[in-house]
Amino acid sequence: MTINIRAYKGISPTIGEQVYIDSSSVLVGDVSIAAHASIWPLVAARGDVNHIIIGERSNIQDGTVLHVTRKSEHKPDGYPLIIGDDVTVGHHCMLHGCSLGNRILVGMGAIIMDGVIVEDDVFIGGGTLVPPNKTLKSGYLYVGNPAKQVRPLKESELAFLKQSALNYVALKNDYLAEAY
């Protein structure tokens, strides 16, 4: 096991088939990455006090931090971090103890906090702050600090959500081919 993929309290990250993980990223503890996902340079995913799940074909871009909230008397399950399938997380984002559905684009520099639920088919604009325990409804663009629902997504934007993930699958395949 490489130094950037480490166990914590006996729990090691689990990696699906054909996953690309850049050697500068760090994965610790209870982190599960599904098939064909990609983890780009300088990503930190720390599943130490709860678990992180990253779905199929999802991509976590450069400089993003993924973390969780511990279980407690007041919140017995804490807040794990769940990322669905076909999710694109832009550069330098912070995702903390939130749950993202499928086919979501998180714009560069966005911050999504504890207890947030993002339904399927959502665009979150760059620099957006999603405060704790907010729900972002399916089919909309959200921007701002704090996040506000701006408008319904166009058909072309909905199609792009899946295409963005597929673009990163192709790119990670190129990186994997060069590694061998």
Side-chain angles (χ1 to χ4, degrees), residues 50 69-79 114 133:
N50 215 319
T69 301
R70 70 179 60 249
K71 300 169 185 177
S72 70
E73 178 183 330
H74 302 291
K75 184 68 178 160
D77 294 329
Y79 289 107
D114 289 0
N133 302 311

Side-chain angles (χ1 to χ4, degrees), residues 92-129:
H92 204 256
C93 292
M94 171 79 64
L95 305 183
H96 201 280
C98 53
S99 181
L100 280 64
N102 304 308
R103 297 171 308 280
I104 294 167
L105 188 137
V106 180
M108 293 182 279
I111 299 172
I112 305 176
M113 299 184 67
D114 289 0
V116 168
I117 296 171
V118 181
E119 296 180 352
D120 295 346
D121 303 306
V122 168
F123 259 76
I124 300 170
T128 296
L129 172 65

